[in-house]
Amino acid sequence: MKKKVVVSLGHQALGYTTLEQRDAVKITAKALADLVEADYQLTITHSNGPQISMIHKAMTELRRVYIDYTPAPMCVCSAMSQGYVGYDIQNSLRAELLNRGISKTVSTILTQVTVNPYDEAFYEPAKIIGRYMSKDDAEIELKKGNYVIEEPGKGFRRIVATPKPIDIIEIEAIRLLSDAGQVVIACGGGGIPVIEQNHALKGASAVIEKDSIAGKLAADLRADQLIILTSVPCVYKNFGSNNQEALPSLTAADAAAYQKDGQFGEGNMLPKIEAAIAYLDVCPKGSVLITSIEHVKDALKGKAGTMIVS
C-alpha cells in the first residue's frame, strides 16, 4: 500500500504576491511530484498569510472607493485565498506530473473548520492582517467591534483571533478522494473558520494556524507521516545563536521537553512542534518530518531534516 502523507506548505513554497506565487509553485510542484513518484499518497495543505492579507486589503480599499460595495468578512477572504492558492498548486502539480508521464487527478477542496466561539484566542487576538490604517480608520474598526494594534511610525493594523480547530467539515470528502488515489489540496490557510449554530455554519472573524490544522488533518486521515516544509532544513537547538545545533531526530517527549525549555519560537517553529506532538498522540506509529523544500528529497533518505517519532 502507498504511504499516506499529509504535506504542509509554508510561505516560502508560495511566495508573497500573485506573480511570486505563480513562479514559486512551479518549484514546489517539483518537490511534490518527487513524493508522488516515490509512491506517496499526498494530501496537501498550505499557508495563506500574505494571500489573505492581500485580499482583505483589496476588498477594504474597494469599499473605500465604491461605497456601494460591502467589505468582505475574514471568512470570505479565507475562502478566496483557498481557491486561488489551490488553483495555482493543482495546475502546476498536474503539469509537472504529466511531464513525468504520471496521470493523476489533483483536486482542491474548499474546506471549513469549526472553532469554539469561547476559545480564549477570541479574547486576546494576535494575528496581524491587512493594510496600515490611519487613526480615524482604526477608530471605525474599533466601533465595529474589531481589534487593532498600533505600530509606531507606521500606523494601525487589524488583528484577529487564531482559535484552535475542532472539526474539519469536509473531512469525509477529503478522505474519499484520497482513498481514490487523487492528490487532494485541503484546509488551505488553516481552513475557513466557522461556528456551528443550529446546524448552520457561520463564518468567524479569525484565522486558524496552518500547522495546527496540518496536524489535525494528518490525525483525522490516520496518515502514516506528516511532512512540514518550512524555511529551514531542520529543527535546531539554540536557533540563531553561536552554538546553534541541528537536531536530526527527536522523540515526542524530547520535543515536548525542548518546548517547555523555550527552544522554539512562537511565530515559527513552535506551532510545528505542537502540531507534530498532537498528531503523534493520535497516530503513535506515524512520524513527522520537518525540513525545507530544497532538502526534502535528501530528508526522505535520512540525509537532512528532522524526524520526530513517538
Side-chain angles (χ1 to χ4, degrees):
M1 293 180 64
K2 292 187 177 182
K3 192 172 185 178
K4 187 181 293 185
V5 175
V6 169
V7 180
S8 176
L9 303 175
H11 299 322
Q12 287 70 24
L14 303 174
Y16 289 80
T17 68
T18 53
L19 292 179
E20 282 184 11
Q21 180 174 296
R22 183 194 63 187
D23 295 335
V25 294
K26 292 178 182 178
I27 299 171
T28 301
K30 293 182 184 299
L32 295 173
D34 287 342
L35 292 171
V36 174
E37 268 194 326
D39 221 22
Y40 287 78
Q41 177 58 47
L42 302 187
T43 300
I44 302 164
T45 188
H46 58 80
S47 67
N48 75 338
Q51 290 80 8
I52 197 171
S53 288
M54 178 183 66
I55 291 169
H56 182 266
K57 178 179 178 180
M59 299 305 292
T60 301
E61 290 301 310
L62 183 65
R63 173 66 177 85
R64 286 164 58 87
V65 176
Y66 300 101
I67 60 173
D68 292 337
Y69 281 84
T70 55
M74 283 303 301
C75 54
V76 173
C77 294
S78 178
M80 290 178 175
S81 71
Q82 275 196 33
Y84 106 83
V85 174
Y87 163 77
D88 272 351
I89 295 174
Q90 73 178 41
N91 282 353
S92 291
L93 180 53
R94 177 181 179 274
E96 181 63 29
L97 290 172
L98 288 174
N99 286 338
R100 301 184 187 199
I102 301 171
S103 179
K104 184 178 285 289
T105 301
V106 184
S107 303
T108 297
I109 296 183
L110 219 57
T111 316
Q112 302 174 96
V113 178
T114 58
V115 297
N116 184 348
Y118 302 107
D119 190 301
E120 291 183 2
F122 283 110
Y123 303 100
E124 296 183 3
K127 186 76 170 182
I128 300 174
I129 64 160
R131 65 183 178 90
Y132 285 102
M133 298 179 286
S134 66
K135 186 175 182 179
D136 290 341
D137 287 342
E139 288 176 354
I140 292 173
E141 290 296 326
L142 289 171
K143 288 178 181 178
K144 291 191 293 185
N146 295 324
Y147 293 84
V148 298
I149 187 172
E150 182 178 6
E151 294 186 25
K154 294 182 178 180
F156 297 81
R157 296 183 74 184
R158 187 176 167 190
I159 52 175
V160 296
T162 52
K164 297 293 184 183
I166 299 175
D167 291 314
I168 299 170
I169 298 297
E170 290 77 18
I171 189 64
E172 291 305 324
I174 297 167
R175 183 179 289 112
L176 184 65
L177 292 176
S178 176
D179 289 346
Q182 294 192 24
V183 176
V184 186
I185 303 164
C187 296
I192 304 164
V194 293
I195 296 170
E196 191 166 6
Q197 297 179 336
N198 298 322
H199 303 298
L201 298 174
K202 181 180 179 182
S205 182
V207 294
I208 298 170
E209 170 60 53
K210 63 97 178 168
D211 291 315
S212 181
I213 200 62
K216 177 162 181 58
L217 180 60
D220 285 359
L221 293 176
R222 298 300 188 269
D224 299 301
Q225 188 173 52
L226 169 61
I227 298 178
I228 300 176
L229 299 181
T230 185
S231 59
V232 291
C234 65
V235 179
Y236 293 93
K237 180 181 178 182
N238 303 319
F239 180 68
S241 67
N242 291 332
N243 60 335
Q244 174 178 294
E245 178 186 345
L247 300 172
S249 63
L250 291 169
T251 64
D254 292 335
Y258 282 129
Q259 176 185 340
K260 187 176 181 180
D261 194 38
Q263 282 289 337
F264 308 122
E266 286 191 14
N268 41 65
M269 190 55 69
L270 180 59
K272 297 165 180 56
I273 296 298
E274 290 176 335
I277 294 172
Y279 158 68
L280 290 171
D281 186 51
V282 177
C283 301
K285 293 183 179 180
S287 62
V288 180
L289 176 61
I290 301 177
T291 190
S292 63
I293 287 180
E294 296 82 3
H295 293 84
V296 66
K297 204 165 186 178
D298 286 336
L300 293 174
K301 302 174 185 176
K303 297 179 179 179
T306 296
M307 186 70 74
I308 306 176
V309 296
S310 292

